[in-house]
Amino acid sequence: MAAITAPVPTRATTSARRRRAGGSASWVTYLVAFAFVGICVAPVVYIIIGGFRTNSEITTDPSGLPSTWQLQNYVDVLKSSIFWQQVGNSAIAGISTTIGVVVLGVAASFVLARYRFNARGAMYALFAAGLMFPMTVAITPLYILIKNLGLMNSLPGIILPQIAFALPTTIIILVPFLQAIPKEIEEAASIDGASRLGFFFRMVVPLSVPGVVTVGILAFIASWNSYMLPLFVLNDETAYTLPLGVQAFASQYSVDTARVLAFTSLSMIPALIFFSLFERRIVGGLTGAVKG
């Protein structure tokens, strides 16, 4: 009786099986990705659409669409001078925090990445430990320190702590960028007569632009969304940033849900647009930090 041998899989059949397996896996991946995107986007869409509805519609059918799109809720918010005052406060705090984080972060990262000294490892570990020390834990001593410095109810009272708490992340991201700069470039610059500061400004800063843009964007968004620190430091509505303004507006117009949703929508749209425009910069900067 002749033995039955199993068919030997050819290269074509193996490739077809891999394509089928990869196709099913990719469908599952896309399905899970779209599900997570839907979970994240749905609340934002609900808030934006809710601003175009009336209070009676929200009470009757909270999840429905507007029967008639009401622009007046958004118009009333945009006509409010306090809204634009809070937008300006958030912008000033965000820009100032970003500048401070970038300047101090690049300088400190350059020293940790390019210099060799005894306490270098300990300093880097100290900044790395700062990632595990959130502002919430330090809010009480931070409040006392800000009060003693006379910075209560002022934007510098929230800008300076935000810079300090953003530096650990900044240094962890920037140090690999600066370490990846070849030594030959520094030696060539030294032969051409460039000092260390000249090498820093002419070579290091331009080469670290992707990382600088990344940490700057992260610092700006974190400052724009900050709530805990302004809540403790600011007590005047004219000095509020937008997160505090949303909370105060919601308390003042608690019965006008549609207008509260409109105010909330307008408050988060700038950050969403800013993040969407620079999303690739953030991903590219973080990828470069990991490769470095």
Side-chain angles (χ1 to χ4, degrees), residues 65-252:
L65 292 174
S67 58
T68 303
W69 294 77
Q70 303 288 333
L71 296 176
Q72 192 60 39
N73 295 323
Y74 286 94
V75 172
D76 291 340
V77 174
L78 292 174
K79 287 182 177 180
S80 174
S81 60
I82 194 66
F83 171 77
W84 293 109
Q85 178 71 35
Q86 293 166 0
V87 170
N89 293 338
S90 292
I92 293 172
I95 294 172
S96 301
T97 300
T98 301
I99 293 174
V101 167
V102 168
V103 172
L104 296 178
V106 173
S109 299
F110 177 72
V111 173
L112 292 174
R114 311 297 298 188
Y115 287 80
R116 296 293 180 266
F117 51 94
N118 293 332
R120 174 178 173 272
M123 290 181 62
Y124 187 79
L126 181 63
F127 281 110
L131 297 174
M132 301 178 288
F133 192 72
M135 187 179 296
T136 307
V137 177
I139 194 64
T140 300
L142 190 60
Y143 171 80
I144 296 174
L145 178 61
I146 293 173
K147 185 177 181 180
N148 291 337
L149 292 175
L151 298 177
M152 290 296 297
N153 198 36
S154 65
L155 291 180
I158 63 174
I159 292 171
L160 295 178
Q162 286 177 165
I163 293 174
F165 279 89
L167 280 177
T169 303
T170 301
I171 290 174
I172 295 300
I173 293 176
L174 288 182
V175 165
F177 273 97
L178 303 185
Q179 287 177 338
I181 299 175
K183 291 286 186 180
E184 290 77 9
I185 296 179
E186 186 174 0
E187 293 173 358
S190 178
I191 293 174
D192 291 339
S195 62
R196 287 189 177 272
L197 285 178
F199 171 72
F200 175 77
F201 286 109
R202 295 178 183 178
M203 302 299 298
V204 172
V205 173
L207 291 174
S208 61
V209 165
V212 170
V213 172
T214 298
V215 298
I217 294 170
L218 294 176
F220 181 86
I221 294 177
S223 174
W224 186 277
N225 295 330
S226 179
Y227 177 78
M228 178 68 69
L229 182 62
L231 179 64
F232 278 79
V233 175
L234 305 177
N235 51 38
D236 185 2
E237 190 174 6
T238 58
Y240 281 178
T241 55
L242 272 177
L244 278 186
V246 171
Q247 185 268 339
F249 190 87
S251 300
Q252 184 178 358

